[in-house]
Amino acid sequence: EVVEHGPDGRRVMAYVIDGQCIACGLCYTVCTNGAIAEEETRFRIITQKCDDCRDCLEVCPIDCIEPSQDDSVELKKND
């Protein structure tokens, strides 16, 4: 089930980490949902675990986390 709005009324959207990721790991350390996975040379957001808290956006030193262009992804449901 796709979540339309988060608990604070913001539109919930999926995010992706682009190819400019420097693999600093800051996003990984702040994610409390386990929605960031470590890969060989960078990190990846697991959209099904993301609740759109945006903590990763706040800590990324190079702003390489951006909204996904894929409207078909399903996000974690906020209960």
Side-chain angles (χ1 to χ4, degrees):
E1 175 177 314
V2 175
V3 177
E4 290 294 326
H5 294 87
D8 61 359
R10 290 180 304 170
R11 168 115 169 59
V12 176
M13 59 178 41
Y15 292 93
V16 294
I17 299 174
D18 70 27
Q20 296 185 26
C21 175
I22 60 173
C24 68
L26 290 173
C27 59
Y28 182 81
T29 61
V30 299
C31 183
T32 59
N33 294 308
I36 310 251
E38 187 173 7
E39 295 186 340
E40 272 188 45
T41 58
R42 64 186 189 133
F43 288 82
R44 175 178 61 85
I45 296 176
I46 304 165
T47 55
Q48 294 83 359
K49 292 185 176 183
C50 178
D51 70 354
D52 194 38
C53 71
R54 303 179 187 196
D55 288 345
C56 59
L57 295 171
E58 299 296 321
V59 299
C60 182
I62 63 166
D63 297 324
C64 71
I65 302 171
E66 56 192 31
S68 172
Q69 300 303 310
D70 184 356
D71 291 334
S72 68
V73 295
E74 292 187 358
L75 303 169
K76 177 181 173 181
K77 182 176 180 181
N78 293 319
D79 294 322

